[in-house]
Amino acid sequence: MSKPIVAIVGRPNVGKSTLFNALAGEKISIVKDYPGVTRDRIYADVTWLDNQFTMIDTGGIEPESKDLMLSHMRQQAQIAIDTADVILFIVDVRQGLVDADYKVADMLRKSAKPVILVVNKVDNFDKFMPDVYEFYNLGIGDPVPVSGASRLGIGDMLDEVINHFNKEDLEEVEDERPRIAIVGKPNVGKSSIINKLLGENRVIVSDIAGTTRDAIDTAVTYNEKEYVFIDTAGLRRKSKIKEELERYSIIRTVTAVERADVVLMVIDAVEGVTEQDAKIAGIAHERGKGIIIVVNKWDAIEKNDKTIYEYTRKVQDILAYMPYAEIIFISALTGQRMNKLFDLIEMVIQNQTLRVATGVLNEIMTEATAMQQPPSDKGKRLKLYYITQVAVKPPTFVIFVNDKELMHFSYTRYIENKIRDAFGFKGTSLKFIIRERKEKE
């Protein structure tokens, strides 16, 4: 099931980032420094009372003038309305009600999306409550007083947020069809791929739940199995600010990736992997999705017998953190290898949901530790006691060890490679959770 999306909207300096960071806690560094992955974090995973959701900060570039301010705010509100399940509208108790707040409130109210009005910077509830009540004038419900800086009232706010999930979200669960997101920069041929896939199997582009979320869902049947394609291509917005557009497309991509099982990362063969491609791939990797790198427009490349090999190596160099990703070379224009795409998708789905028996995993681990001794530090050696698989999508394993500190990333990677040697797991990342267990247990 895909996690609900919660978007933060509000004028500059109302404390959006402070609140975002307070909610994301120390886990704010979720986007590791992969080459090319954005440092400007716009999304974080939040867990509250067993509810998980993805929080998106629609903020971004602050416009210079007052007039631009309003159009900028409208743009933000539009992003939130398009992509979010719940919207947090942040206002500032110290600045009081401002004209822009009214204008944005109008848009949000008309959107019919659940909106929570959050009055920030309320460091002292007794003192500021009369000022908080003023925000009832916006007509979007009860204001929730919080202080991002001193973390007051955040629990109440999160209770409000999760109250709005559950009801609608559970309706989408029954849909067992695999979801495939087609992502990539503009003009890499995402739409042509969808159209080609539809070809004769054209299924009506129905209003599947979630279509309003600014991605177009299309059902495609292949070999009597139905797939849902989430296409982020069909929507363009005119924007004066290029960065804002890029940010917008990244937000849209995060949403599509979040809802998908497998991500088709489309790259223009002529252009090669760009920084934005690496950024988008990083998001899918972070989210543990199945990943297929689709090199489109292959017909436009001068080839000899080594071209595919060289090109593959180049892609793998740039996306070195996801060596498991499958790569396929196609042409949506000529239809070359398009039929192979479904076989690949099917294989990745199987791998994403593969479960390995605990006995077998422990045999592999025992053999691996015999072949390469676990690291030691100051005379203490790492011991691996036990491994078991606890989840799928992505396959997730827990390893019990005597000392977490000794379990270096490189040794985890070594164990991962041994498991991959045995089971392939092509096209999907694997997740490892390291737990400590005292000797006596």
Side-chain angles (χ1 to χ4, degrees), residues 251-279:
I251 286 182
R252 218 164 46 196
T253 302
V254 172
T255 318
V257 166
E258 195 61 76
R259 294 176 51 224
D261 302 310
V262 177
V263 174
L264 301 186
M265 172 77 223
V266 185
I267 288 169
D268 182 322
V270 183
E271 218 183 327
V273 183
T274 65
E275 192 178 331
Q276 201 180 342
D277 292 329
K279 214 181 265 191

Side-chain angles (χ1 to χ4, degrees), residues 301-426:
I301 295 277
E302 291 283 319
K303 289 180 272 297
N304 60 33
D305 52 356
K306 293 193 186 62
T307 318
I308 280 202
Y309 169 73
E310 285 161 2
Y311 205 99
T312 303
R313 209 184 52 219
K314 213 160 27 180
V315 171
Q316 282 169 340
D317 281 351
I318 299 176
L319 304 177
Y321 54 86
M322 34 191 270
Y324 57 83
E326 282 292 299
I327 302 180
I328 183 171
F329 296 87
I330 66 158
S331 162
L333 187 69
T334 65
Q336 180 188 17
R337 284 199 204 86
M338 288 290 289
N339 54 342
K340 292 248 171 60
L341 204 49
F342 276 108
D343 301 340
L344 213 46
I345 290 171
E346 201 40 55
M347 178 194 82
V348 173
I349 289 169
Q350 298 300 328
N351 286 339
Q352 271 250 297
T353 51
L354 184 63
R355 284 186 185 272
V356 181
T358 302
V360 181
L361 284 171
N362 282 286
E363 272 172 39
I364 293 173
M365 186 171 83
T366 310
E367 198 175 303
T369 49
M371 279 165 59
Q372 187 175 324
Q373 225 187 2
S376 61
D377 186 31
K378 300 191 182 69
K380 185 174 184 185
R381 184 165 294 286
L382 169 70
K383 285 188 185 138
L384 284 72
Y385 297 128
Y386 186 74
I387 180 172
T388 183
Q389 184 175 354
V390 292
V392 294
K393 284 189 184 183
T396 304
F397 305 89
V398 173
I399 302 179
F400 290 95
V401 300
N402 60 339
D403 185 345
K404 262 168 102 159
E405 294 301 303
L406 291 173
M407 186 76 174
H408 296 187
F409 170 71
S410 56
Y411 202 75
T412 309
R413 171 65 65 81
Y414 164 68
I415 297 289
E416 171 175 345
N417 290 338
K418 289 293 171 224
I419 292 174
R420 283 188 185 279
D421 290 346
F423 298 100
F425 279 118
K426 283 183 154 176

Side-chain angles (χ1 to χ4, degrees), residues 68-87:
L68 269 178
M69 184 62 245
L70 194 60
S71 68
H72 176 75
M73 283 284 302
R74 285 204 173 112
Q75 218 172 0
Q76 272 187 16
Q78 196 53 54
I79 294 176
I81 289 165
D82 288 344
T83 52
D85 297 295
V86 178
I87 297 166

Side-chain angles (χ1 to χ4, degrees), residues 154-361:
I154 286 181
D156 294 342
M157 180 188 80
L158 289 172
D159 285 345
E160 281 295 308
V161 170
I162 61 179
N163 275 343
H164 288 295
F165 301 159
N166 311 350
K167 311 181 245 333
E168 298 80 22
D169 279 325
L170 295 173
E171 294 163 15
E172 224 182 290
V173 180
E174 278 71 67
D175 193 346
E176 287 294 302
R177 299 173 296 180
R179 293 174 171 271
I180 321 293
I182 300 195
V183 302
K185 294 200 319 300
N187 309 325
V188 289
K190 299 189 291 279
S191 311
S192 339
I193 291 177
I194 285 259
N195 294 341
K196 203 72 174 180
L197 288 173
L198 286 174
E200 296 318 299
N201 334 342
R202 178 133 217 152
V203 179
I204 43 168
V205 181
S206 51
D207 295 330
I208 301 174
T211 309
T212 50
R213 292 197 208 161
D214 209 3
I216 299 163
D217 287 11
T218 312
V220 178
T221 307
Y222 181 80
N223 274 351
E224 297 179 9
K225 181 168 177 180
E226 206 172 279
Y227 300 82
V228 176
F229 281 86
I230 304 168
D231 172 22
T232 51
L235 299 131
R236 291 272 177 280
R237 292 203 180 250
K238 294 192 176 59
S239 165
K240 296 189 183 62
I241 313 175
K242 181 174 172 293
E243 291 157 75
E244 188 67 38
L245 188 74
E246 183 158 312
R247 185 187 184 91
Y248 184 59
S249 62
I250 290 267
I251 286 182
R252 218 164 46 196
T253 302
V254 172
T255 318
V257 166
E258 195 61 76
R259 294 176 51 224
D261 302 310
V262 177
V263 174
L264 301 186
M265 172 77 223
V266 185
I267 288 169
D268 182 322
V270 183
E271 218 183 327
V273 183
T274 65
E275 192 178 331
Q276 201 180 342
D277 292 329
K279 214 181 265 191
I280 295 172
I283 293 170
H285 170 74
E286 276 292 322
R287 289 292 188 258
K289 303 297 182 178
I291 300 179
I292 299 172
I293 295 164
V294 180
V295 183
N296 188 22
K297 308 187 186 173
W298 193 239
D299 54 298
I301 295 277
E302 291 283 319
K303 289 180 272 297
N304 60 33
D305 52 356
K306 293 193 186 62
T307 318
I308 280 202
Y309 169 73
E310 285 161 2
Y311 205 99
T312 303
R313 209 184 52 219
K314 213 160 27 180
V315 171
Q316 282 169 340
D317 281 351
I318 299 176
L319 304 177
Y321 54 86
M322 34 191 270
Y324 57 83
E326 282 292 299
I327 302 180
I328 183 171
F329 296 87
I330 66 158
S331 162
L333 187 69
T334 65
Q336 180 188 17
R337 284 199 204 86
M338 288 290 289
N339 54 342
K340 292 248 171 60
L341 204 49
F342 276 108
D343 301 340
L344 213 46
I345 290 171
E346 201 40 55
M347 178 194 82
V348 173
I349 289 169
Q350 298 300 328
N351 286 339
Q352 271 250 297
T353 51
L354 184 63
R355 284 186 185 272
V356 181
T358 302
V360 181
L361 284 171

